[in-house]
């Protein structure tokens, strides 16, 4: 249990934490926020009566009614456009896009409208929405159930992009995102909904049971956006990662027995630049790992920032382990996925210099 | 061969169907140098359309999507079931708002030509669409306009100096000079922030209306787009959402025949009306004489009463004509007949209401000329007032660092750094 958690639980004056997987933690965050704020509404394809294709909204419609949790037509631009209008009215919508791969029809509403509304109206109208969407690969999802489009959103002024890696963080970050008055893209790594994934696809799947970060308070707590988490302190090398890759990296580092500092970014915009700088200046080496394709991916921004700010502390070139610049393949998933083999090779390369 | 014969197709003996397929690319009735002809438009008599009950099921509204709701006849008399029978002072207010909108447009167009601003868009010939609707709605109903509904702000008595400040992007501009001229935002006037991206406001209006309904509020939403913009996907998603949730929203399509250089045929007008789009969604559709401010008022009142009674959305097509170029960046003589506006069969909205008021004995040419004179002076004085706050490019804009504000509620570190870097660079350059 890290310090951050002790603080936030204490601040909330909390009930006993219980075991939750990431789905349950997200469900709990929505439940808590709907209970606290009558303006929070949940909408999306299959989120109402059925409770979502991943069960993230299970039971919410029954508890809060159809005026606050409702199924929508299958039109992503409509879902986000309607959410912008609801936000202009004064609601706090939490729309769901069933898979991040299907967020593109909503891009115009997200990029041209939600992201710019506060700016273009000088604050007259705002878009306090949180767009939840399952993302990432590792589930044999093929081309359209595996993508990691976070780099598209980090490039857009006016939206925040948040990605949790544990049930505890998922709930605290989602609560913070819902409370935030800026539009937030909340990408949920679906590979770790039910358990942390260490990158070894050929071993039995693990559940969150027994994981320290799966003990989740049942009530309200928040993890401020823009604060990274040191998933593993270390001195030899800094590894910047988020989502599923945090667990893959943790496992690989443990097996290699290397004293790497693993920084789980949690929030890409705003980014915890202080945590990144402090870590790289300490270790002198930096590896960046993400599932998304390489060219113009968020790793390129991270690499540039580290180079600009830590140049005189660097003892080796910054390395990136990412998805390849191809559409996400089905049968060759494990050759594509930036797993233990590729991470190990990159670490060895950095440490040689 | 055998298959083709069995399917009934005629072949050329070598297995190919005859005749060859043809792609239909629409062509407007008249190009530059040609004479304009609108005789193919079917304009029903002003008293032809009956007025259905506001609770009429959408399936019974089919004829209204193909007809034309009109009130003012060719002689300026209010006739038929849709006559809203407005009191004299309301009629004269309508006339004044329309005339003020035209005077404002004229002044701002000239301001652009004088280099005082970068851009302007007039609404000449379409003033009735905004003014009629604005007077039929409550002030606290939320409007989601496109860029050619400046009349709504004027009909809601919004400060024209404030509008000009926005057009000049000066230090008085509440949008802090961030938006292209005419992209107003006036929350107090129920006027949603205008976006350059077409039809995005459509689902937003539906969402606002859904929120109002979900909260048990009494306010409704209204939105506007041009006929060209109905081709955007947002139009479809908005109509679907509005229908599914029976949202209290009025969706206006201003069919002014032109989307920049593309005539309405490129949005589908050769095959159907825009009001008829409503039929497939199960939405009530009305097609209205958009140059008849009383018809626009009456149709909007009908739709507003329907929405307030939980009768659901209405789609209104306003049949009108874009008299001027698309914007100050456009020259319409490059793609359409110069005769068109004079041949337009529905006339001029201001002239038609003026004639109606004269017929009623509440107005005359002398008073009209005096009003135009007074409005011109008022707009000129407002422009002088606004110009004291600066015009585009003359330095009286918001401070440079304001560029970085309002991207987010709180400025994150990367924007703070960029702001500081910009200030340092300008200082280093001695500026």
């Amino acid at each position: 249990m890290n310090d951050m958690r002790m603080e936030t639980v204490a601040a909330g004056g909390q009930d006993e934490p219980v075991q939750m997987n990431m789905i349950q933690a997200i469900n709990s965050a929505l439940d808590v926020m709907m209970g606290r704020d009558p303006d929070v509404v949940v909408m999306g394809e299959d989120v109402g009566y059925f409770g979502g294709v991943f069960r993230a909204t299970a039971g919410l419609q029954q508890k809060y009614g159809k005026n606050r949790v409702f199924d929508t037509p299958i039109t992503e631009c409509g879902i986000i456009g309607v959410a912008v209008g609801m936000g202009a009215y004064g609601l706090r919508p939490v729309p769901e896009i069933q898979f991040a791969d299907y967020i593109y029809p909503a891009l115009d509403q997200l990029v041209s409208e939600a992201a710019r509304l506060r700016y273009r109206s000088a604050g007259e109208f705002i878009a306090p929405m949180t767009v939840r969407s399952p993302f990432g690969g590792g589930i044999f999802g093929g081309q359209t159930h595996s993508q990691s489009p976070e780099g598209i959103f980090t490039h857009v002024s006016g939206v925040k992009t948040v990605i949790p890696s544990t049930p505890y963080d998922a709930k605290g970050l989602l609560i913070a995102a819902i409370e935030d008055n800026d539009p937030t893209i909340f990408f949920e790594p679906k590979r770790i909904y039910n358990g942390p994934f260490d990158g070894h696809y050929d071993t039995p799947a693990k559940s969150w049971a027994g994981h320290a970060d799966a003990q989740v308070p049942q009530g309200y707590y928040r993890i401020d956006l823009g604060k990274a988490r040191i998933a593993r302190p270390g001195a030899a090398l800094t590894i910047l990662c988020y989502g599923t890759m945090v667990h893959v990296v943790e496992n690989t580092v443990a097996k290699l027995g290397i004293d790497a500092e693993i920084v789980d970014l949690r929030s890409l915009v705003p980014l915890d630049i202080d945590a990144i700088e402090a870590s790289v200046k300490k270790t002198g080496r930096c590896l960046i790992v993400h599932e998304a394709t390489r060219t113009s991916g968020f790793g390129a921004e991270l690499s540039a920032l580290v180079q600009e700010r830590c140049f005189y502390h660097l003892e080796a070139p910054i390395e990136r382990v990412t998805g390849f610049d191809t559409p996400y393949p089905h049968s060759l998933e494990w050759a594509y996925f930036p797993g233990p083999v590729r991470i190990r090779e990159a670490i060895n390369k950095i440490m040689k210099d | 061969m055998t298959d083709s014969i069995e399917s009934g197709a005629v072949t050329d003996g070598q297995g190919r169907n005859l005749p060859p397929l043809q792609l239909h690319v629409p062509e407007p009735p008249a190009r530059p140098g040609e004479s304009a002809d609108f005789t193919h438009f079917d304009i029903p008599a002003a008293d032809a359309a009956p007025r259905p009950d506001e609770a009429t099921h959408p399936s019974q509204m089919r004829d209204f999507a193909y007809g034309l709701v009109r009130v003012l006849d060719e002689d300026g008399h209010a006739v038929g079931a849709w006559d809203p029978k407005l009191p004299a002072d309301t009629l004269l207010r309508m006339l004044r708002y329309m005339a003020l909108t035209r005077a404002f447009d004229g002044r701002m167009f000239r301001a652009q030509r004088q280099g005082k601003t970068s851009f302007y868009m007039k609404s000449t010939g379409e003033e009735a669409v905004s003014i009629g609707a604005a007077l039929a709605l409550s002030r606290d109903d939320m409007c989601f306009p496109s860029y050619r509904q400046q009349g709504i702000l004027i009909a809601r008595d919004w400060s024209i100096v404030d509008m000009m400040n926005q057009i000049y992007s000066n230090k008085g501009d509440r949008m802090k000079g961030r938006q292209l001229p005419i992209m107003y935002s006036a929350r107090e006037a129920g006027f949603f922030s205008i976006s350059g991206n077409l039809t995005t406001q459509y689902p937003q209006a539906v969402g606002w209306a859904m929120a109002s309904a979900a909260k048990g509020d009494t306010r409704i939403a209204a939105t506007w787009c041009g006929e060209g913009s109905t081709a955007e996907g947002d139009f479809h998603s908005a109509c679907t959402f509005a229908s599914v949730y029976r949202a209290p929203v009025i969706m206006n399509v201003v069919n002014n025949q032109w989307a920049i250089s593309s005539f309405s045929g490129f949005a589908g007008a050769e095959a159907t009306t825009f009001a008829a789009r409503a039929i497939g969604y199960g939405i009530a559709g009305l097609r209205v004489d958009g140059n008849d401010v009383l018809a626009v008022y009456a149709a909007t009142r009908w739709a507003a009463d329907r929405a307030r009674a939980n009768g659901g959305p209405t789609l209104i097509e306003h049949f009108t004509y874009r008299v001027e170029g698309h914007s100050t960046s456009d020259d319409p003589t490059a793609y359409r007949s110069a005769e068109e506006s004079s041949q337009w069969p529905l006339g001029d909205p201001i002239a038609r209401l003026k004639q109606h008021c004269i017929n009623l004995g509440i107005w005359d040419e002398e008073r009209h000329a005096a009003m135009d004179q007074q409005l011109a002076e008022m707009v000129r004085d407002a422009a002088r007032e606004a110009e004291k706050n600066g015009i585009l490019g003359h330095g009286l804009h918001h401070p440079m660092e304001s560029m970085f504000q309002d991207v987010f509620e709180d400025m994150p570190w990367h924007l703070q750094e960029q702001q500081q870097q910009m200030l340092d660079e300008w200082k280093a350059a001695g500026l």
Side-chain angles (χ1 to χ4, degrees):
Chain A
M1 192 178 272
N2 61 41
D3 292 340
M4 171 77 75
R5 181 199 295 190
M6 296 301 282
E7 279 169 21
T8 48
V9 172
Q14 276 312 319
D15 44 342
E16 277 299 295
V18 299
Q19 163 77 42
M20 291 188 200
N21 64 28
M22 194 181 277
I23 296 278
Q24 292 163 329
I26 288 161
N27 186 271
S28 176
L30 294 170
D31 187 11
V32 164
M33 287 313 295
M34 294 195 78
R36 285 170 67 95
D37 183 349
D39 290 330
V40 173
V41 294
V42 168
M43 56 192 286
E45 297 157 15
D46 305 296
V47 305
Y49 182 86
F50 180 57
V53 295
F54 290 104
R55 317 306 302 152
T57 56
L60 296 177
Q61 187 180 71
Q62 201 172 15
K63 187 168 178 181
Y64 296 102
K66 292 195 284 188
N67 273 6
R68 297 189 58 200
V69 183
F70 55 90
D71 293 307
T72 64
I74 304 173
T75 159
E76 287 77 14
C77 73
I79 291 168
I80 302 302
V82 161
V84 171
M86 289 181 153
Y89 178 91
L91 300 188
R92 201 168 278 279
V94 189
E96 177 184 299
I97 300 295
Q98 204 161 74
F99 287 86
D101 315 62
Y102 303 130
I103 205 165
Y104 309 122
L107 271 187
D108 190 33
Q109 285 287 346
L110 286 169
V111 174
S112 310
E113 302 296 318
R116 289 156 202 262
L117 187 53
R118 177 191 295 278
Y119 190 75
R120 76 173 195 232
S121 72
E124 274 202 337
F125 296 95
I126 61 172
M129 68 163 78
T130 303
V131 183
R132 289 183 42 248
S133 190
F135 97 126
I139 59 155
F140 276 116
Q143 294 190 24
T144 56
H145 298 80
S146 307
Q147 295 171 34
S148 299
E150 66 273 17
I152 291 175
F153 296 97
T154 58
H155 191 56
V156 175
S157 320
V159 288
K160 295 177 175 173
T161 302
V162 176
I163 300 171
S165 71
T166 69
Y168 180 82
D169 277 8
K171 179 169 175 181
L173 288 168
L174 181 54
I175 286 174
I178 293 171
E179 287 185 326
D180 197 285
N181 285 327
D182 295 315
T184 303
I185 311 292
F186 192 84
F187 280 135
E188 302 166 0
K190 57 187 171 296
R191 183 61 181 81
I192 56 171
Y193 267 157
N194 293 307
F197 176 58
D198 63 11
H200 290 279
Y201 57 91
D202 45 358
T203 59
K206 293 188 197 70
S207 83
W208 282 105
H211 196 288
D213 292 318
Q215 289 294 311
V216 180
Q218 295 173 75
Y220 171 89
Y221 68 96
R222 55 176 284 156
I223 298 171
D224 289 341
L225 308 185
K227 297 285 178 206
R229 173 179 74 104
I230 305 300
R232 183 199 185 283
L237 153 77
T238 296
I239 305 181
L240 305 178
C241 53
Y242 45 90
T244 302
M245 299 319 297
V246 173
H247 303 279
V248 179
V249 166
E250 274 179 336
N251 186 262
T252 309
V253 162
K255 287 209 168 133
L256 287 175
I258 190 162
D259 187 26
E261 179 148 290
I262 303 172
V263 183
D264 174 3
L265 298 175
R266 296 204 288 203
S267 151
L268 308 190
V269 176
L271 184 68
D272 191 345
I273 193 66
D274 294 339
I276 294 170
E277 270 189 69
S279 181
V280 176
K281 284 179 178 170
K282 178 175 70 177
T283 65
R285 295 168 202 270
C286 181
L287 169 66
I288 296 157
V289 184
H290 62 57
E291 286 182 70
T293 48
R294 185 182 185 87
T295 301
S296 305
F298 191 64
E301 179 64 26
L302 289 172
S303 178
L305 285 169
V306 169
Q307 191 276 145
E308 287 161 4
R309 289 161 184 265
C310 308
F311 181 76
Y312 295 106
H313 294 80
L314 285 174
E315 291 167 33
I318 302 158
E319 287 287 327
R320 283 181 286 164
V321 176
T322 69
F324 296 118
D325 285 338
T326 71
Y328 204 106
H330 186 246
S331 66
L332 299 177
E333 169 145 62
W334 299 115
Y336 176 92
F337 189 86
V341 172
R342 297 180 53 206
I343 294 168
R344 188 183 64 221
E345 290 306 308
I347 291 174
N348 288 341
K349 189 176 170 193
I350 293 177
M351 298 313 293
K352 245 184 247 165
D353 288 314
Chain B
M1 281 293 276
T2 316
D3 287 349
S4 296
I5 289 164
E6 280 176 357
S7 71
V10 180
T11 72
D12 64 356
Q14 294 172 333
R16 282 176 301 209
N17 288 342
L18 289 173
L21 297 171
Q22 290 180 331
L23 179 68
H24 172 70
V25 180
E27 189 59 33
R31 287 297 192 185
E34 296 173 352
S35 53
D37 180 10
F38 288 109
T39 51
H40 61 289
F41 284 158
D42 179 25
I43 308 291
D47 60 357
R51 187 182 183 284
D53 187 85
E54 287 87 345
T56 304
H57 192 273
S59 64
Q60 304 303 307
M61 296 287 298
R62 190 180 186 283
D63 289 349
F64 294 92
Y66 292 101
L68 202 64
V69 169
R70 308 182 68 202
V71 172
L72 292 173
D73 68 11
E74 281 61 30
D75 302 319
H77 295 292
V79 295
W82 286 90
D83 179 6
K85 302 196 188 325
L86 295 174
D89 64 326
T90 306
L91 294 173
L92 294 178
R93 261 196 324 137
M94 277 179 164
L95 189 62
R96 183 179 171 83
Y97 286 140
M98 287 200 287
L100 176 54
T101 304
R102 189 166 293 183
F104 182 86
D105 279 353
R107 188 91 207 172
M108 290 297 97
F109 189 92
R110 285 203 301 283
Q112 191 277 339
R113 289 295 188 250
Q114 291 163 350
K116 292 174 179 173
T117 186
S118 63
F119 184 74
Y120 192 71
M121 297 176 104
K122 293 171 117 176
S123 63
T124 312
E126 303 173 41
E127 294 90 347
V129 174
S130 299
I131 305 297
L135 288 175
L137 294 168
S138 299
R139 193 184 161 90
D140 57 0
D141 294 331
M142 182 59 83
C143 297
F144 289 77
S146 77
Y147 44 69
R148 227 183 288 278
Q149 276 77 49
Q150 51 265 54
I152 295 171
L153 280 175
I154 286 179
R156 287 185 166 180
D157 295 315
W158 195 249
S159 154
I160 59 172
V161 174
D162 181 83
M163 294 168 75
M164 290 169 174
N165 285 337
Q166 197 281 332
I167 290 163
Y168 290 143
S169 277
N170 61 26
K171 66 184 170 72
D173 174 15
R174 291 178 302 105
M175 306 299 107
K176 302 185 184 176
R178 293 173 185 155
Q179 273 273 49
L180 193 68
I182 67 124
M183 305 275 182
Y184 311 106
S185 179
R187 189 184 178 94
E188 276 177 61
F191 192 95
F192 185 73
S193 160
I194 295 175
S195 168
N197 296 60
L198 299 176
T199 333
T200 49
Q201 71 276 14
Y202 248 60
Q204 293 165 1
V206 174
W208 196 97
M210 287 172 64
S212 184
K215 282 289 190 183
D217 199 344
T218 58
R219 294 175 291 165
I220 64 171
T223 187
W224 287 259
C225 76
E227 90 286 349
S229 303
T230 62
E232 293 281 6
D234 279 320
F235 180 82
H236 166 66
S237 69
C239 289
T240 303
F241 266 83
S243 170
V244 167
Y245 302 98
R246 296 185 197 165
V249 62
I250 304 171
M251 299 186 286
N252 296 282
V253 175
V254 185
N255 177 6
N256 66 13
Q257 315 301 322
W258 290 95
I260 309 186
S261 75
S262 302
F263 89 114
S264 58
F266 283 98
E270 287 184 338
T272 186
T273 70
F274 294 96
R277 303 283 192 225
I279 296 171
Y281 293 102
I283 294 173
L286 291 172
R287 191 160 170 269
V288 173
D289 177 348
N291 288 21
D292 177 348
V293 71
L294 297 185
V296 172
Y297 177 93
T300 307
R301 272 302 291 270
W302 187 94
D305 289 346
R306 181 180 178 88
R308 290 187 213 288
N310 284 308
T314 302
L315 178 70
I316 304 177
E317 174 186 350
H318 302 268
F319 199 67
T320 183
Y321 184 78
R322 194 194 78 207
V323 172
E324 298 274 355
H326 167 71
S327 72
T328 48
S329 308
D330 180 44
D331 173 13
T333 65
Y335 51 79
R336 71 181 185 188
S337 165
E339 290 179 6
E340 277 196 11
S341 64
S342 61
Q343 298 300 310
W344 178 245
L346 295 174
D348 176 83
I350 295 177
R352 285 175 68 188
L353 181 63
K354 173 184 154 193
Q355 185 58 49
H356 177 60
C357 291
I358 291 173
N359 292 347
L360 291 176
I362 60 172
W363 200 241
D364 53 49
E365 294 287 357
E366 206 169 83
R367 274 184 277 185
H368 195 88
M371 175 184 74
D372 276 346
Q373 174 77 20
Q374 191 235 342
L375 291 176
E377 285 167 16
M378 185 177 137
V379 169
R380 187 198 60 208
D381 292 348
R384 281 184 185 151
E385 192 63 28
E387 285 171 27
K388 286 182 195 162
N389 292 324
I391 55 175
L392 186 68
H394 283 223
L396 281 174
H397 45 63
H398 282 267
M400 285 163 68
E401 54 268 35
S402 72
M403 181 187 357
F404 298 91
Q405 297 161 358
D406 300 322
V407 178
F408 296 100
E409 183 172 37
D410 300 313
M411 198 184 297
W413 66 268
H414 64 284
L415 285 175
Q416 289 176 22
E417 280 193 2
Q418 289 167 31
Q419 178 179 256
Q420 192 56 51
Q421 183 186 353
M422 178 192 73
L423 294 172
D424 291 347
E425 284 166 354
W426 283 78
K427 197 174 165 190
L431 297 164

Short mmCIF file of all heavy atoms in Angstrom, two decimals, chain A residues 294-314:
data_model
loop_
_atom_site.label_atom_id
_atom_site.label_comp_id
_atom_site.label_asym_id
_atom_site.label_seq_id
_atom_site.Cartn_x
_atom_site.Cartn_y
_atom_site.Cartn_z
N ARG A 294 4.18 3.05 -32.78
CA ARG A 294 5.36 3.83 -32.40
C ARG A 294 5.37 5.27 -32.92
O ARG A 294 5.50 6.21 -32.15
CB ARG A 294 6.59 3.08 -32.94
CG ARG A 294 7.92 3.66 -32.53
CD ARG A 294 9.04 2.82 -33.19
NE ARG A 294 10.35 3.23 -32.78
CZ ARG A 294 10.98 2.78 -31.69
NH1 ARG A 294 10.39 1.91 -30.89
NH2 ARG A 294 12.19 3.19 -31.39
N THR A 295 5.20 5.41 -34.24
CA THR A 295 5.40 6.71 -34.86
C THR A 295 4.36 7.73 -34.39
O THR A 295 3.16 7.48 -34.50
CB THR A 295 5.37 6.59 -36.40
OG1 THR A 295 6.39 5.69 -36.80
CG2 THR A 295 5.62 7.95 -37.06
N SER A 296 4.83 8.83 -33.85
CA SER A 296 3.97 9.89 -33.30
C SER A 296 3.11 9.41 -32.14
O SER A 296 2.12 10.04 -31.79
CB SER A 296 3.07 10.53 -34.38
OG SER A 296 3.85 11.01 -35.44
N GLY A 297 3.47 8.28 -31.56
CA GLY A 297 2.78 7.82 -30.36
C GLY A 297 3.16 8.68 -29.16
O GLY A 297 4.07 9.52 -29.24
N PHE A 298 2.49 8.47 -28.01
CA PHE A 298 2.77 9.32 -26.85
C PHE A 298 4.22 9.14 -26.40
O PHE A 298 4.80 10.05 -25.81
CB PHE A 298 1.80 9.02 -25.71
CG PHE A 298 1.89 10.05 -24.62
CD1 PHE A 298 1.56 11.36 -24.87
CD2 PHE A 298 2.33 9.70 -23.35
CE1 PHE A 298 1.66 12.33 -23.87
CE2 PHE A 298 2.44 10.66 -22.35
CZ PHE A 298 2.09 11.98 -22.61
N GLY A 299 4.81 7.98 -26.68
CA GLY A 299 6.20 7.75 -26.32
C GLY A 299 7.15 8.75 -26.96
O GLY A 299 8.18 9.10 -26.39
N ALA A 300 6.79 9.23 -28.14
CA ALA A 300 7.64 10.22 -28.82
C ALA A 300 7.66 11.51 -28.01
O ALA A 300 8.70 12.15 -27.86
CB ALA A 300 7.13 10.47 -30.23
N GLU A 301 6.51 11.91 -27.47
CA GLU A 301 6.44 13.12 -26.64
C GLU A 301 7.24 12.92 -25.36
O GLU A 301 8.00 13.80 -24.93
CB GLU A 301 4.97 13.43 -26.32
CG GLU A 301 4.77 14.65 -25.45
CD GLU A 301 5.21 15.93 -26.12
OE1 GLU A 301 5.21 15.98 -27.36
OE2 GLU A 301 5.58 16.88 -25.40
N LEU A 302 7.09 11.74 -24.75
CA LEU A 302 7.83 11.45 -23.51
C LEU A 302 9.33 11.50 -23.77
O LEU A 302 10.09 12.08 -22.99
CB LEU A 302 7.43 10.08 -22.97
CG LEU A 302 6.01 9.95 -22.39
CD1 LEU A 302 5.70 8.48 -22.09
CD2 LEU A 302 5.89 10.80 -21.12
N SER A 303 9.73 10.90 -24.87
CA SER A 303 11.15 10.86 -25.21
C SER A 303 11.70 12.26 -25.41
O SER A 303 12.78 12.61 -24.91
CB SER A 303 11.34 10.02 -26.49
OG SER A 303 12.69 10.02 -26.86
N ALA A 304 10.92 13.09 -26.11
CA ALA A 304 11.37 14.46 -26.36
C ALA A 304 11.48 15.24 -25.04
O ALA A 304 12.44 15.97 -24.82
CB ALA A 304 10.41 15.16 -27.31
N LEU A 305 10.50 15.07 -24.17
CA LEU A 305 10.52 15.79 -22.89
C LEU A 305 11.73 15.37 -22.05
O LEU A 305 12.41 16.21 -21.45
CB LEU A 305 9.22 15.53 -22.11
CG LEU A 305 7.98 16.25 -22.62
CD1 LEU A 305 6.72 15.70 -21.95
CD2 LEU A 305 8.09 17.75 -22.39
N VAL A 306 12.01 14.08 -22.01
CA VAL A 306 13.13 13.58 -21.21
C VAL A 306 14.44 14.10 -21.81
O VAL A 306 15.34 14.57 -21.09
CB VAL A 306 13.12 12.04 -21.15
CG1 VAL A 306 14.42 11.52 -20.56
CG2 VAL A 306 11.91 11.56 -20.34
N GLN A 307 14.53 14.07 -23.13
CA GLN A 307 15.74 14.55 -23.80
C GLN A 307 15.96 16.03 -23.51
O GLN A 307 17.09 16.46 -23.23
CB GLN A 307 15.60 14.28 -25.31
CG GLN A 307 16.87 14.47 -26.11
CD GLN A 307 17.09 15.94 -26.52
OE1 GLN A 307 18.20 16.40 -26.57
NE2 GLN A 307 16.01 16.65 -26.78
N GLU A 308 14.86 16.82 -23.57
CA GLU A 308 14.98 18.27 -23.36
C GLU A 308 15.37 18.61 -21.92
O GLU A 308 16.08 19.57 -21.66
CB GLU A 308 13.64 18.96 -23.68
CG GLU A 308 13.32 19.03 -25.17
CD GLU A 308 11.84 19.27 -25.45
OE1 GLU A 308 11.06 19.47 -24.49
OE2 GLU A 308 11.47 19.24 -26.63
N ARG A 309 14.84 17.83 -21.00
CA ARG A 309 14.96 18.21 -19.58
C ARG A 309 16.03 17.45 -18.81
O ARG A 309 16.44 17.89 -17.73
CB ARG A 309 13.60 17.98 -18.89
CG ARG A 309 12.60 19.00 -19.33
CD ARG A 309 11.19 18.56 -19.04
NE ARG A 309 10.28 19.54 -19.59
CZ ARG A 309 9.76 20.55 -18.88
NH1 ARG A 309 10.00 20.66 -17.61
NH2 ARG A 309 8.99 21.44 -19.46
N CYS A 310 16.45 16.30 -19.33
CA CYS A 310 17.39 15.47 -18.57
C CYS A 310 18.63 15.16 -19.40
O CYS A 310 19.36 14.20 -19.11
CB CYS A 310 16.71 14.17 -18.14
SG CYS A 310 15.15 14.39 -17.29
N PHE A 311 18.88 15.96 -20.45
CA PHE A 311 19.94 15.64 -21.41
C PHE A 311 21.28 15.39 -20.73
O PHE A 311 21.98 14.42 -21.01
CB PHE A 311 20.07 16.79 -22.42
CG PHE A 311 21.11 16.56 -23.47
CD1 PHE A 311 20.85 15.70 -24.53
CD2 PHE A 311 22.35 17.20 -23.40
CE1 PHE A 311 21.81 15.48 -25.51
CE2 PHE A 311 23.31 16.98 -24.38
CZ PHE A 311 23.04 16.12 -25.43
N TYR A 312 21.65 16.25 -19.80
CA TYR A 312 22.99 16.14 -19.18
C TYR A 312 23.06 15.03 -18.15
O TYR A 312 24.12 14.72 -17.64
CB TYR A 312 23.40 17.48 -18.60
CG TYR A 312 23.57 18.53 -19.68
CD1 TYR A 312 22.63 19.54 -19.86
CD2 TYR A 312 24.65 18.46 -20.55
CE1 TYR A 312 22.77 20.47 -20.88
CE2 TYR A 312 24.79 19.39 -21.58
CZ TYR A 312 23.86 20.38 -21.74
OH TYR A 312 24.00 21.30 -22.76
N HIS A 313 21.92 14.42 -17.84
CA HIS A 313 21.91 13.29 -16.91
C HIS A 313 21.85 11.96 -17.63
O HIS A 313 21.99 10.92 -17.01
CB HIS A 313 20.71 13.38 -15.95
CG HIS A 313 20.78 14.57 -15.03
ND1 HIS A 313 20.43 15.85 -15.41
CD2 HIS A 313 21.17 14.66 -13.73
CE1 HIS A 313 20.58 16.68 -14.40
NE2 HIS A 313 21.04 15.99 -13.37
N LEU A 314 21.62 11.98 -18.93
CA LEU A 314 21.41 10.72 -19.65
C LEU A 314 22.73 10.02 -19.93
O LEU A 314 23.69 10.64 -20.41
CB LEU A 314 20.66 10.98 -20.97
CG LEU A 314 19.17 11.28 -20.83
CD1 LEU A 314 18.59 11.66 -22.20
CD2 LEU A 314 18.41 10.10 -20.24
#
